[in-house]
Amino acid sequence: MLIAVVSTVRSCIHLLAPDGGAGSIAGMNLSVEGAPEIIFSFALWGSAQLIYALVQLVVAFRYRSLVPFMYVLLMVETLLRMLVGRMKPVTFAHTPPGAYGNYVMLVLAPVMLVLSFRRTSP
């Protein structure tokens, strides 16, 4: 549930912030040619994140048997984002918060996956 809330907030920032969070949060230089396209890409990313967050909420409230699958999806998504960052590096003024969050998720998601398989007594 907490991950879904964080995903929702993160997606809304990318969708609603004037710079999509690219400059104000990620520290990207938006005084370059192509800045509107960067902002557009961040907003598109926010829309995809919002859909993902809504699926997380639906799973949390209605389809609890899919919780382990969502943790696997979270791990794959995080690993793919990190891979893209290595394949297509970008210069930032500072390390974006999401970079730290990736490492937190790589530790937290497998632990939560294992815990999601534990049965509780009635």
Side-chain angles (χ1 to χ4, degrees), residues 27-117:
M28 295 181 81
N29 180 4
L30 296 177
S31 63
V32 298
E33 186 176 336
E37 289 80 6
I38 294 170
I39 295 168
F40 177 75
S41 297
F42 268 66
L44 284 179
W45 185 22
S47 66
Q49 287 176 319
L50 185 58
I51 292 167
Y52 185 48
L54 292 173
V55 170
Q56 290 171 328
L57 288 169
V58 168
V59 167
F61 285 112
R62 180 68 178 98
Y63 300 103
R64 303 210 34 121
S65 64
L66 292 175
V67 167
F69 174 70
M70 293 305 295
Y71 285 125
V72 170
L73 212 58
L74 180 61
M75 287 186 286
V76 170
E77 184 223 0
T78 302
L79 288 169
L80 285 174
R81 273 191 282 115
M82 294 173 82
L83 177 64
V84 167
R86 296 234 188 251
M87 291 171 42
K88 302 177 185 300
V90 176
T91 303
F92 296 98
H94 60 276
T95 304
Y100 298 116
N102 287 340
Y103 293 105
V104 171
M105 282 302 140
L106 284 182
V107 172
L108 185 62
V111 169
M112 296 307 292
L113 175 64
V114 170
L115 291 176
S116 71
F117 288 118

